[in-house]
């Protein structure tokens, strides 16, 4: 089976499913990995919603990352913790799945997603439908053996020209080979949207560190994203340009926009919301 | 419900909110979202933008807008085979489409028209009418702008 259902699969048990309506599941973050970012937690919620959406259309099509009105990053998570995942489907049809969802650790919310939309595409284009059905059955019964995820390879941002006080640019070299491509997706390798989001947030954090301090002192922290939109698939080996720009700054809130381009084509865009770090 | 029963006054009542919603989805100035603007040709919308707009309109106007509804309604009592042959809209289908999308200038209905290209015809007004039809379907008599 190789890396399929191992290198980028973040649901290892489905606890309850009301077809086409709601789903609950869990994922045990392996204790021996270096980190598990908020973007991966969002991915886990999205994957749970995808299981519910695929089941609702008898595994003929699957949602892919598209839109998210709001992603609230409520608390960091750590290796060894167990994510309690939930998702509510707003609609599922042949064209799109719309959902909201959340993840908690020990009852404390760590992320909340609202009004997400994934375009539905033929499952056969991305994976073997029978393997997907078998995996779904496993997740509903015994659950998958935890600990398969071995962490992510690093794909650092390279600073690019054109920086100004309110703007930072960087280049992302998408790897040509990485374990997650065999899982996302076996029949059509695509750089996961959540990893692109992670790179976007990394650049946003670098820009946030350059902004004038909030009124309360301290520094800015990432609180969430809004109006996230993924416009195109990114195959392995692509070279992308990312730009983060400050669009609103006050004493107690700031907003950045992040945009990813491949040449002139906009691949993704989002707003990043910053708030003063809470000083204890 | 046919197009004739949607008045310009009704369209103009929902247009500001539709335009603001579309501008948010497309990341453009609301002034650019003119009533007659083609989403693809004038506003550079892509397929993901159509989904975005539809879901935002659903939330803004609290209606459900079934995807694919436009083509289905435009087809009327024509069968799928009578409307589309090999991915191309038939003459009968084109006539239905012109009547249904009455807001689209006649010269933009280029024959042969691929069914996949029908969304290229959509204008801001098309979405205004979509909202109005759905409002009526759920019994909203006065447009909630």
């Amino acid at each position: 089976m190789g890396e399929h259902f191992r290198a980028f699969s973040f649901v290892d048990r489905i606890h309850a499913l009301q077809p086409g309506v709601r789903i609950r599941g869990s994922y045990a973050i392996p204790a021996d990995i270096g980190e598990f970012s908020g973007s991966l937690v969002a991915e886990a919620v999205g994957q749970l919603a995808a299981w519910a959406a695929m089941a609702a259309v008898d595994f003929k099509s699957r949602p892919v990352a598209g839109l998210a009105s709001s992603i609230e990053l409520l608390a960091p998570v750590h290796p060894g913790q167990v994510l309690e995942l939930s998702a509510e489907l707003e609609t599922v049809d042949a064209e799109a799945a719309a959902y909201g969802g959340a993840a908690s650790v020990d009852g404390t919310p760590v992320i909340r997603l609202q009004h997400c939309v994934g375009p539905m595409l033929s499952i056969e284009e991305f994976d073997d439908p029978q393997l997907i059905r078998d995996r779904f059955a496993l997740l509903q019964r015994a659950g998958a053996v935890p600990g398969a995820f071995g962490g992510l390879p690093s794909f650092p941002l390279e600073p690019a020209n054109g920086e100004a006080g309110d703007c930072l640019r960087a280049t992302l070299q998408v790897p040509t080979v990485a374990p997650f491509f065999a899982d996302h997706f076996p029949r059509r390798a695509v750089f996961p949207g959540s990893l692109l989001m992670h790179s976007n947030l990394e650049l946003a954090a670098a820009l946030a560190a350059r902004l004038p301090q909030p009124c309360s002192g301290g520094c800015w922290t990432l609180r969430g994203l809004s109006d996230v939109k993924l416009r195109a698939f990114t195959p392995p080996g692509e070279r992308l340009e990312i730009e983060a720009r400050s669009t609103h700054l006050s004493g107690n809130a700031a907003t950045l926009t992040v945009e990813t381009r491949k040449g002139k084509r906009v691949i993704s865009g989002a707003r990043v919301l910053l708030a003063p770090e809470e000083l204890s | 419900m046919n197009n004739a029963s949607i008045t310009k006054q009704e369209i103009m009542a929902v247009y500001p909110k539709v335009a603001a919603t579309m501008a948010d989805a497309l990341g453009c100035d609301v002034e650019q979202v003119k009533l007659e603007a083609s989403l693809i040709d004038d506003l550079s919308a892509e397929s993901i933008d159509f989904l975005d707009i539809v879901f935002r309109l659903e939330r803004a106007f609290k209606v459900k807008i079934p995807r694919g509804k436009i083509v289905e309604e435009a087809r009327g009592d024509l069968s799928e085979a009578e409307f589309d042959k090999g991915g191309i809209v038939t003459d009968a289908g084109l006539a239905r489409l012109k009547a249904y999308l009455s807001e689209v200038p006649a010269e933009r209905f280029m024959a042969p028209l691929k069914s996949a290209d029908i969304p290229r015809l959509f204008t801001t007004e098309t979405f205004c009418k979509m909202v109005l039809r759905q409002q009526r379907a759920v019994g909203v008599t006065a447009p909630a702008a």
Side-chain angles (χ1 to χ4, degrees):
Chain A
M1 191 161 73
E3 296 292 353
H4 197 194
F5 301 128
R6 295 175 58 85
F8 208 72
S9 291
F10 305 119
V11 175
D12 47 31
R13 191 150 206 160
I14 293 172
H15 300 290
L17 172 69
Q18 197 175 342
V21 180
R22 60 177 60 88
I23 185 168
R24 280 193 304 109
S26 61
Y27 177 69
I29 304 170
D32 57 354
I33 59 171
E35 66 163 344
F36 197 82
S37 69
S39 302
L40 291 185
V41 180
E43 174 74 31
V45 175
Q47 288 187 8
L48 183 78
W51 282 118
M54 288 188 286
V57 297
D58 195 25
F59 298 94
K60 289 183 172 60
S61 51
R62 63 154 303 136
V64 295
L67 308 166
S69 290
S70 163
I71 300 175
E72 295 173 77
L73 303 169
L74 303 170
V77 301
H78 304 287
Q81 292 181 323
V82 175
L83 298 176
E84 300 136 14
L85 307 166
S86 63
E88 303 235 344
L89 299 180
E90 296 165 11
T91 59
V92 189
D93 58 32
E95 196 178 356
Y99 66 93
S104 304
V105 172
D106 294 329
T108 302
V110 296
I111 203 164
R112 190 176 299 121
L113 284 69
Q114 288 184 295
H115 301 308
C116 301
V117 179
M120 295 287 269
L121 300 175
S122 168
I123 214 164
E124 292 201 348
E125 188 185 335
F126 297 93
D127 215 326
D128 179 336
Q130 190 54 50
L131 290 181
I132 294 285
R133 286 174 188 275
D134 293 347
R135 176 73 175 186
F136 182 66
L138 174 73
L139 296 178
Q140 283 198 293
R141 291 183 198 137
V145 177
F149 177 57
L152 294 169
S154 74
F155 29 88
L157 294 175
E158 304 162 24
N161 293 330
E163 295 182 4
D166 63 349
C167 173
L168 262 184
R169 294 192 180 95
T171 301
L172 171 66
Q173 178 62 56
V174 175
T176 306
V177 178
F180 54 74
F181 285 128
D183 197 5
H184 187 279
F185 300 100
R187 288 183 177 174
R188 184 177 177 182
V190 171
F191 188 60
S194 54
L195 296 187
L196 188 55
M197 178 176 129
H198 178 76
S199 293
N200 283 193
L201 287 176
E202 193 180 326
L203 189 67
L207 178 58
R210 295 181 172 204
L211 297 177
Q213 274 193 321
C215 292
S216 54
C219 57
W220 297 102
T221 57
L222 305 179
R223 283 299 160 86
L225 299 101
S226 66
D227 300 305
V228 180
K229 189 180 289 190
L230 285 166
R231 294 180 170 278
F233 288 126
T234 298
E238 290 276 40
R239 198 165 171 81
L240 305 174
E241 295 84 44
I242 305 176
E243 180 183 283
R245 184 177 290 278
S246 168
T247 53
H248 167 77
L249 180 63
S250 70
N252 54 14
T255 306
L256 314 178
T257 58
V258 282
E259 196 167 81
T260 306
R261 289 177 180 269
K262 165 67 182 169
K264 289 184 178 173
R265 174 90 200 270
V266 177
I267 302 294
S268 75
R271 290 191 177 90
V272 179
L273 314 171
L274 309 177
E277 184 181 36
E278 288 170 14
L279 302 172
S280 53
Chain B
M1 179 183 152
N2 58 38
N3 288 332
S5 63
I6 296 178
T7 66
K8 199 73 180 175
Q9 189 181 13
E10 287 175 303
I11 289 167
M12 294 315 291
V14 297
Y15 167 57
K17 193 165 172 177
V18 170
T21 304
M22 289 172 58
D24 283 344
L26 296 169
C28 65
D29 294 331
V30 70
E31 291 76 21
Q32 290 177 260
V33 188
K34 300 191 185 313
L35 193 61
E36 65 281 7
S38 155
L39 261 72
I40 292 177
D41 296 335
D42 298 328
L43 299 172
S44 305
E46 298 178 285
S47 57
I48 190 72
D49 295 312
F50 280 79
L51 271 184
D52 196 5
I53 289 167
V54 165
F55 278 95
R56 284 174 188 260
L57 288 174
E58 285 187 348
R59 293 200 295 276
F61 287 92
K62 297 184 171 46
V63 293
K64 282 283 171 202
I65 302 175
R67 265 69 60 194
K69 191 79 174 174
I70 285 188
V71 174
E72 190 186 312
E73 287 190 348
R75 208 174 68 219
D77 58 0
L78 289 181
S79 68
E80 283 186 38
E82 288 171 321
F83 186 83
D84 170 312
K85 276 202 170 59
I88 304 292
V89 180
T90 61
D91 288 345
L94 204 56
R96 286 289 175 90
L97 210 49
K98 282 181 182 174
Y100 192 77
L101 298 175
S102 57
E103 68 278 10
V104 179
E107 63 271 20
R108 291 193 51 220
F109 289 87
M110 307 268 272
L113 174 67
K114 291 180 186 170
S115 292
D117 285 342
I118 291 174
R120 298 195 78 89
L121 300 167
F122 294 177
T123 66
T124 306
E125 187 171 337
T126 307
F127 284 87
C128 291
K129 288 162 67 174
M130 202 185 292
V131 166
L132 288 163
R133 286 188 200 103
Q134 296 310 312
Q135 282 187 328
R136 290 192 177 180
V138 295
V140 177
T141 50

